Amino acid sequence: MLRTINRSAIRGLSTHARVTSSSSSNDNTTLLTGAAILLSGLTIASAKQASCDDAVATPPTTTPHGTADLPEMYRRLSRRIPEFSLEKFRAGQDDRIWVALDGGIYDVTPFLDAHPGGVSRIMMVQGQDLGKYWGVYQLHDRPHIRALLEEYRIGNLSPEDYATVKESTDFTSMYTNDPARPAAQQGKLRIPSEHPWNSEPKDLKYLVDTFLTPNDVFFVRNHNAVPDIKESDYVLEIEGNVEAGLQEKNFTLADLKKLPKHTVISALQCAGNRQEDYVTEDRPLFVAPHWRNGAIGNAKWTGVKVRDILRECGMDVDAIALGHKDANAKIANFMGADTDETGVPYAGVIPVDKVIDPHGDTILAYEMNGETLPRDHGYPVRLLAPGHAGCRNVKWVSQIALSEAPSELDSGSRLDRHFAPDITWMAHKEHTAIDRCPERKGCVPCAEKVREDQGPVIQTLPVQSIICVPGNRTSISSKNKDLSVKGISWSGAGRGIVRVEVSVDNGKNFTAAELRRAAKGTSPPPEFGMGRNHSWTQWEISIPYCELPAEIMKKVDGGEEAEIEICCKAIDGDLNSQPENMSVGWNVLGICINHWSKVQVKLNPGLELGEVKAAPNTPMPGSAYWGDGTINKP
């Protein structure tokens, strides 16, 4: 049977056993009214009148690493909330998750279903020190996350009791057997998080140097530790489904390689690519992994069509594709071999129709760019569903099941909903809390605006283009004769690209760039609307300096430094075009980000012909500030 989450088992994962609480009604009142004490002193009671903006109180002081001066903060807060005994903290309350951090006690139950890392990863910390977990998952320890945590503070521990909790919390990293990553050691990668590992090319030039993105710099999006699977141990399980005509069957890697080999050149993009554009001075981003622009790549994938595997299991895929039979299933569920610390695996779903379509090119890939699939990319096999978001392309596939509805393990149902721009973080997290914590209903009125039928779970991604050369905030010589601009473009669902337009005057005027596509004959023209243009399209344009805006050339001719803003937009085969501003597509979960790509470049008279001065360090993940202290310009 398709595996499901054993939530009762997860609740018992803590090393400190949960017991029935004998708390009085006054204690319960404390839970309900004290849980939302903020750094600024707000409580749930005052939250009823609070606005629905996403402003977060600023911690009182910061260290060089950006964390709050916590002892002072807690001294102030301790005057307003009670001190719990160690026994009371460890006993907790039924169906509530209490954790400790730096002497504070937090009831994080309302946050469970909003946590991007999953429910189980918070449940396992019940009755323990959150700091030990953050020692591994360091992406969490940031001012805006600590400020968020204060909403759930219900009490304090004495210094002695907290020391006991901290000492007794034993948590070790599950990532010690992750693969070596030489490109990281060579400085080629930007690494938003190490645990789990997420990386993208530091220099976007890698995306245009070759048509196929080299494996070592191809972006990696992991949700858990990387499984170490030997070929001899690998088994793919196909779950039986009588209604769909599918028989239960297992395949080894050797079995899969006996089936017809199929190769497809396809781009793959994480649904959250470019999400750091959403990080501004007054609004942090609460989702991970904080990509900039490099979570996209193009590769030649080789493997076996999933439809051929299903045929081997008795399913009449040809009759279903022709409409002669009903599949009696709508969803293809793919389970990964990667799991979190509690044993919950990563999983994703795509429509059965995508799998059955003989032209859908949905494969289990075991090669990438002519090489054995690397561990970080899913060895021994991964799903490659061309045109669909990266989150749907499950790695280390261990099980396939067909069903009418998505498995509850599907991460997309929780993480990959695209809401309207007026749905804020406050509204989202309160909406997700209501089922588990009904006492919060009505505390934040804007939560009632959140409707899941208006936040579709994404499958494919919108039209996209990204400027790769010149690099953002670099300086180039004003002695050059022309400005060379290069980039990539792609559109989900196989829509392909018909044109990319580039502007050097901040979007006032555009001109079409030259396109570089996959080999002729490998896919129909994108304007045919066949949905089979899976590769990306690279583009390039060279603009003579004499054609730059007059005000720019006036400075250049006068020997002054001049800043120019370059932007681009792509048009796909259905004539969809990228929106100008990020505000149009802003969404609380940071997905499908496709506003115009923009870079600011300085023409510097002090540089020699062809010389390039590197940009300041890019903002740290989750920060709006570049290394030189200037604000990010989306």
Side-chain angles (χ1 to χ4, degrees), residues 222 226-227 335-338 375-376 378-379 381-382 395-398:
N222 291 340
V226 177
M335 190 92 66
D338 58 317
R375 278 183 65 198
D376 259 333
Y379 178 84
V381 296
R382 70 166 301 157
K395 298 188 281 189
W396 312 288
V397 176
S398 63

Side-chain angles (χ1 to χ4, degrees), residues 86-141:
L86 180 59
E87 293 72 22
K88 181 175 180 179
F89 166 64
R90 285 180 168 173
Q93 285 196 334
D94 282 347
D95 299 318
R96 311 295 293 194
I97 303 297
W98 290 4
V99 302
L101 181 67
D102 294 320
I105 299 173
Y106 303 88
D107 181 355
V108 294
T109 313
F111 185 65
L112 289 177
D113 294 292
H115 181 227
V119 172
S120 57
R121 273 204 168 107
I122 298 186
M123 283 183 166
M124 69 181 180
V125 194
Q126 158 61 27
Q128 301 183 71
D129 174 36
L130 185 61
K132 289 286 184 72
Y133 294 78
W134 280 10
V136 174
Y137 293 104
Q138 297 178 4
L139 189 69
H140 295 78
D141 196 358

Side-chain angles (χ1 to χ4, degrees), residues 288-359:
H290 297 285
W291 298 121
R292 295 203 65 79
N293 295 279
I296 185 171
N298 197 49
K300 182 173 73 172
W301 310 91
T302 299
V304 55
K305 286 187 176 183
V306 178
R307 74 188 311 270
D308 288 344
I309 298 173
L310 300 183
R311 181 192 283 114
E312 289 291 308
C313 297
M315 192 172 187
D316 195 347
V317 292
D318 292 329
I320 294 171
L322 290 169
H324 297 162
K325 291 181 68 174
D326 195 325
N328 293 316
K330 295 183 176 65
I331 299 296
N333 302 274
F334 293 82
M335 190 92 66
D338 58 317
T339 67
D340 67 14
E341 290 86 348
T342 73
V344 176
Y346 184 80
V349 304
I350 60 174
V352 166
D353 288 347
K354 172 69 175 177
V355 173
I356 297 300
D357 183 359
H359 297 296

